[in-house]
Coordinates of all heavy atoms in Angstrom, one line a residue:
G22 N -6.6 1.6 3.6 CA -7.5 0.9 4.6 C -8.3 1.8 5.4 O -8.9 1.6 6.4
I26 N -11.4 1.3 8.4 CA -11.2 1.7 9.8 C -12.4 2.6 10.1 O -12.9 2.5 11.3 CB -9.8 2.5 9.9 CG1 -8.7 1.4 9.7 CG2 -9.8 3.1 11.3 CD1 -7.4 2.1 9.7
V43 N -12.9 12.1 1.4 CA -12.5 12.8 0.2 C -13.0 12.2 -1.0 O -13.3 12.8 -2.0 CB -11.0 12.9 0.2 CG1 -10.3 11.7 -0.1 CG2 -10.7 14.1 -0.8
M50 N -18.3 16.2 -7.2 CA -18.0 17.3 -8.1 C -18.5 16.9 -9.5 O -18.7 15.8 -9.8 CB -16.4 17.4 -8.1 CG -15.9 17.8 -6.8 SD -14.1 17.7 -6.9 CE -13.8 19.4 -7.3
I94 N -16.1 11.9 11.5 CA -14.9 11.2 11.2 C -14.6 11.5 9.7 O -15.5 11.3 8.8 CB -14.9 9.6 11.3 CG1 -15.3 9.3 12.7 CG2 -13.6 9.0 11.0 CD1 -15.7 7.8 12.9
D96 N -12.1 11.0 6.3 CA -11.2 10.0 5.6 C -10.7 10.8 4.5 O -11.3 11.1 3.6 CB -12.0 8.8 5.1 CG -11.4 8.0 4.0 OD1 -10.4 8.3 3.5 OD2 -12.0 6.9 3.7
F99 N -3.9 13.4 2.3 CA -3.2 14.7 2.3 C -2.1 14.7 1.2 O -0.9 14.4 1.4 CB -2.5 14.9 3.6 CG -3.4 15.2 4.8 CD1 -2.9 15.4 6.0 CD2 -4.8 15.2 4.6 CE1 -3.7 15.6 7.1 CE2 -5.7 15.5 5.7 CZ -5.1 15.6 6.9
G102 N 0.8 16.6 2.1 CA 1.4 16.4 3.4 C 1.0 17.4 4.4 O -0.2 17.7 4.5
A112 N -9.3 25.4 8.9 CA -10.8 25.2 8.8 C -11.3 24.9 10.2 O -12.4 25.4 10.6 CB -11.2 24.1 7.8
G114 N -10.2 25.4 13.2 CA -9.9 26.4 14.3 C -9.7 25.8 15.7 O -8.8 25.0 15.9
V119 N -8.6 14.9 16.7 CA -7.7 13.8 16.8 C -7.1 13.4 15.4 O -7.9 13.1 14.4 CB -8.4 12.6 17.3 CG1 -7.3 11.4 17.4 CG2 -8.9 12.8 18.8
W120 N -5.9 13.8 15.1 CA -5.2 13.4 13.9 C -4.7 12.0 13.9 O -3.9 11.7 14.7 CB -4.1 14.4 13.7 CG -4.4 15.9 13.7 CD1 -4.4 16.7 14.8 CD2 -5.0 16.6 12.6 NE1 -4.8 17.9 14.4 CE2 -5.2 18.0 13.1 CE3 -5.2 16.3 11.2 CZ2 -5.7 18.9 12.2 CZ3 -5.7 17.4 10.5 CH2 -5.9 18.7 11.0
A131 N -0.7 -1.3 -3.1 CA -0.8 -1.5 -4.5 C -1.6 -2.8 -4.9 O -2.4 -2.7 -5.8 CB 0.5 -1.6 -5.2
R133 N -4.0 -4.1 -3.0 CA -5.4 -3.8 -2.7 C -5.9 -2.9 -3.8 O -7.1 -3.1 -4.2 CB -5.5 -2.9 -1.4 CG -5.1 -3.8 -0.2 CD -5.1 -2.9 1.1 NE -4.6 -3.6 2.3 CZ -4.3 -3.1 3.4 NH1 -4.5 -1.7 3.5 NH2 -4.0 -3.8 4.4
G138 N -9.9 -2.5 -8.2 CA -10.4 -2.3 -9.6 C -11.0 -1.0 -10.0 O -11.4 -0.7 -11.1
I151 N 4.2 10.0 0.5 CA 4.1 11.5 0.4 C 3.0 12.1 1.2 O 3.1 13.3 1.8 CB 4.0 12.0 -1.1 CG1 2.7 11.4 -1.7 CG2 5.1 11.5 -1.9 CD1 2.4 12.2 -2.9
K157 N 1.9 15.8 11.5 CA 1.9 15.5 12.9 C 0.6 14.7 13.4 O -0.4 15.2 13.1 CB 2.1 16.7 13.7 CG 3.5 17.3 13.5 CD 3.7 18.6 14.4 CE 5.0 19.2 14.3 NZ 5.6 19.4 13.1
T164 N -1.9 -0.6 8.6 CA -2.8 -1.7 8.1 C -2.1 -2.7 7.3 O -2.8 -3.6 6.8 CB -3.9 -1.1 7.3 OG1 -3.4 -0.4 6.1 CG2 -4.7 0.0 8.1
D171 N -8.8 -3.7 14.6 CA -7.8 -3.5 15.7 C -7.2 -2.1 15.5 O -7.0 -1.5 16.7 CB -6.6 -4.6 15.5 CG -7.1 -6.0 15.8 OD1 -8.0 -6.2 16.8 OD2 -6.7 -6.9 15.1

Side-chain angles (χ1 to χ4, degrees):
I26 292 172
V43 70
M50 298 175 89
I94 305 168
D96 163 351
F99 291 178
V119 175
W120 300 96
R133 292 176 186 168
I151 64 164
K157 292 181 174 47
T164 65
D171 295 320

